[in-house]
């Protein structure tokens, strides 16, 4: 399950020219479901959305709906002792970034179903959505996600678009602040760990060709005699370095082959 979280001052959804949902300060979340998502993925995303801290310490949605309010400075004037007793000056602390969650500021959340989050354009120029969950099953799971989110927070502060419709989403991104969340992947991985078998095969073939070329060159090329004055220890160190480089190439090729095998297994076997 994937989500694109945006901190917003306001956001709304229109369908056929009619506004169907609107929020003020809070989060706008684009939600995508994959073919093998389970209720565990929904629970993870609900917990993450409600706990991630993307708001500053001086922000509170109820203080000024639809805006990020910072209390204006007091007028500069001479104050007497009598003034101090009547109205003590409040010391305003400097705002801290990344201090509050949407729950802390009592903000709103607008969720929009977005199957294109699992689109792929690695091969060709037309997006491929074979990893996106089919609409028949994703509709029910998406509404289950909304129900869990409402139970974990406040139902009246959770808004939604229209599943499967062509929507116009208006977002006033505050910052801008945008985060990508994924219930299965939490960091960018090297290309050898990506899920495209064609890429793995190409890398594996390239590594195998390089290894074969090194071995052929080593067998066909007679060893050069050491220079005069070269010690036996220096010759041994040079051979050791060359052997170490070959071991690294073999290890990379083996790792690529292992990763290719894992990533081409059926999704049901992976999760087992």
């Amino acid at each position: 399950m994937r989500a694109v979280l945006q901190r917003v001052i306001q956001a709304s959804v229109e369908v056929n020219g009619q506004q169907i949902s609107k929020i003020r300060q809070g989060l706008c979340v684009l939600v995508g479901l994959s073919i093998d998502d389970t209720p565990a993925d929904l629970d993870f995303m609900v917990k993450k959305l409600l706990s991630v801290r993307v708001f500053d310490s001086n922000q509170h949605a109820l203080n000024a709906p639809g805006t990020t309010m910072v209390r204006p400075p007091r007028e500069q004037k001479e104050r007497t002792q009598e003034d101090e007793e009547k109205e003590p000056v409040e010391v305003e602390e400097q705002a801290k970034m990344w201090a509050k969650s949407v729950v802390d500021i009592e903000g709103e959340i607008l969720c929009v179903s977005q199957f294109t989050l699992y689109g792929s354009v690695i091969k060709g120029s037309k997006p491929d959505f074979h990893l996106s969950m089919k609409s028949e099953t994703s509709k029910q799971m998406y509404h289950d996600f909304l129900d869990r989110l409402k139970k974990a927070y406040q139902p009246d502060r959770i808004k939604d678009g229209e599943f499967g419709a062509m929507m116009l989403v208006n977002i006033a991104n505050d910052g801008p602040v945008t985060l990508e969340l994924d219930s299965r992947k939490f960091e960018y991985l090297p290309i050898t760990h990506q899920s495209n078998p064609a890429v793995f095969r190409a890398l594996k073939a390239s590594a195998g060709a390089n290894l074969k070329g090194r071995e052929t060159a080593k067998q066909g090329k007679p060893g050069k005699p050491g220079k005069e004055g070269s010690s036996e220890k220096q010759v041994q160190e040079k051979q050791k370095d060359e052997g170490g480089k070959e071991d690294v190439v073999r290890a990379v090729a083996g790792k690529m082959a292992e990763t290719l095998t894992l990533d081409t297994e059926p999704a049901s076997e992976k999760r087992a």
Side-chain angles (χ1 to χ4, degrees), residues 3 18 26 31-33 49 53 72 79 86 89 94 97 109 113-114 133 141 160 162-163 210 243 249 265:
Q18 298 294 321
V31 180
L33 294 166
L49 289 174
R53 295 182 295 178
R79 295 173 59 86
K86 291 181 179 179
V89 176
Q94 184 176 2
M97 298 181 66
I109 301 177
S113 60
Q114 184 76 111
M133 184 178 289
M141 182 165 281
D160 179 30
E162 182 177 332
F163 187 90
N210 291 338
V249 174
E265 291 179 357

Side-chain angles (χ1 to χ4, degrees), residues 192 203 206-208 210-211 214-215 240-257:
T192 54
L203 290 172
S206 176
N210 291 338
L211 178 60
R214 286 175 176 267
E215 292 178 346
K240 183 178 179 180
D241 291 339
E242 292 177 352
K245 293 178 180 178
E246 292 176 1
D247 291 339
V248 171
V249 174
R250 289 193 182 94
V252 172
K255 184 64 176 178
M256 289 179 177

Side-chain angles (χ1 to χ4, degrees), residues 38-144:
T38 68
D41 296 284
L42 304 184
D43 290 336
F44 170 88
M45 196 60 68
V46 167
K47 182 178 180 181
K48 184 64 70 173
L49 289 174
L50 296 180
S51 62
V52 65
R53 295 182 295 178
V54 295
F55 297 94
D56 298 345
S57 61
N58 64 351
Q59 291 180 305
H60 199 286
L62 296 184
N63 286 346
T67 61
T68 302
M69 286 294 293
V70 179
R71 187 170 47 188
R74 295 178 176 274
E75 296 181 1
Q76 299 296 325
K77 63 179 182 179
E78 295 183 0
R79 295 173 59 86
T80 64
Q81 184 65 29
E82 184 179 354
D83 293 333
E84 292 290 347
E85 292 176 357
K86 291 181 179 179
E87 186 182 3
V89 176
E90 298 180 9
V91 178
E92 298 183 4
E93 297 182 358
Q94 184 176 2
K96 296 180 181 179
M97 298 181 66
W98 321 116
K100 291 185 177 182
S101 67
V102 67
V103 175
D104 296 329
I105 71 163
E106 302 183 61
E108 297 177 294
I109 301 177
L110 173 62
C111 295
V112 180
S113 60
Q114 184 76 111
F115 76 94
T116 60
L117 290 183
Y118 278 97
S120 172
V121 289
I122 294 179
K123 183 178 180 180
S125 57
K126 182 179 178 180
D128 178 5
F129 303 109
H130 72 279
L131 291 179
S132 299
M133 184 178 289
K134 303 302 180 183
S135 59
E136 296 79 10
T137 52
S138 61
K139 183 176 182 179
Q140 181 59 49
M141 182 165 281
Y142 175 71
H143 285 295
D144 287 345

